């Protein structure tokens, strides 16, 4: 069965510094997609970035980048130049092969300090 | 392009009642998933519908049910409400059944049981 692990329940980072949120996954499928979502205190889930299992390069989207290490089954999110508005819950998720539902990790609460 | 729309945004019910939540996916999206989120529990997968068929189901009692209509709109029903059903219920839709398609979430329905 697929599983996502996020070992950091909470993280603190100083404004303007970079932070890495950890995500490891477990799957026996050869193809899968990995996603990161942000959930501010208001509750909406915002899609941030995607990494495909066969992608050769790490995904980047603005200040977000993914440190994808397939052999280690890890897909860590890197946020550069943190802003106060980055304070939120962050969820790592995996989409397995056809017909299976998304699997979400337990989340990491990030707090950006001024 | 309109996003995922969930109605109502807030709902207050009492124990024993039943409730129906509605979700309109992004136009063209055929997959709709429902999640329950309680403080400290992360996202718990309820079920997924694809082309009017329930394709996947999470580990919830039979009081939780859903359906999807031909226009991909989905409803979720909870009967005989319990205090523990108080939660944020999130609906998400995705375009295709492909590993590179993210789920896009609605703003959720906050259900409170008195």
């Amino acid at each position: 069965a697929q599983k996502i692990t996020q070992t950091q329940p909470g993280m603190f980072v100083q404004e303007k510094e970079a932070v890495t949120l950890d995500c490891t996954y477990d799957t026996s499928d050869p193809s899968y997609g990995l996603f990161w979502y942000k959930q501010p205190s208001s509750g909406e889930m915002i899609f941030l970035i995607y990494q495909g299992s066969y992608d050769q390069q790490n995904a980047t989207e603005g200040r977000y980048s993914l440190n994808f290490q397939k052999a280690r089954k890890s897909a860590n999110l890197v946020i550069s130049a943190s802003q106060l508005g980055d304070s939120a819950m962050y969820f790592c998720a995996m989409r397995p092969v056809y017909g299976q539902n998304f699997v979400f990790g337990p989340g990491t609460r990030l707090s950006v300090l001024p | 392009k309109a996003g995922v729309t969930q109605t109502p945004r807030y709902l207050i019910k009492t124990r024993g009642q039943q409730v129906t939540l509605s979700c309109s996916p992004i136009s063209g999206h055929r997959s709709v998933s429902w999640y329950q989120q309680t403080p400290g529990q992360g996202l718990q997968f309820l079920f997924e519908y694809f082309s009017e068929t329930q394709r996947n189901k999470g580990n919830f009692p039979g009081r939780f049910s859903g359906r999807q209509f031909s226009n991909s709109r989905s409803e979720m029903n909870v009967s005989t409400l319990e205090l523990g059903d108080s939660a944020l219920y999130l609906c998400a839709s995705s375009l295709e059944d492909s590993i590179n398609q993210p789920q896009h979430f609605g703003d959720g329905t906050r259900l409170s049981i008195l």
Side-chain angles (χ1 to χ4, degrees), chain B residues 68-81:
Chain B
Q68 186 180 34
F69 302 95
S70 58
N71 62 357
S72 292
R73 189 177 71 86
S74 178
E75 288 182 347
M76 189 192 93
N77 186 75
V78 187
S79 62
T80 319
L81 287 165

Side-chain angles (χ1 to χ4, degrees), chain A residues 98-114:
Chain A
Y98 175 84
Q100 297 186 37
N101 55 280
F102 273 71
V103 179
F104 281 81
T108 295
R109 181 171 298 281
L110 177 67
S111 298
V112 180
L113 305 175

Side-chain angles (χ1 to χ4, degrees), chain A residues 4 6 23 25 33-37 45 49 51 75 91-95 102-105, chain B residues 35 103:
Chain A
I4 298 284
Q6 295 179 255
C23 171
Y25 58 92
L34 296 161
F35 304 82
W36 277 90
Y37 288 84
M45 292 278 284
I49 193 167
Q51 178 83 45
F91 292 94
C92 179
M94 176 172 61
R95 182 165 199 171
F102 273 71
V103 179
F104 281 81
Chain B
Y35 297 88
Q103 286 188 324

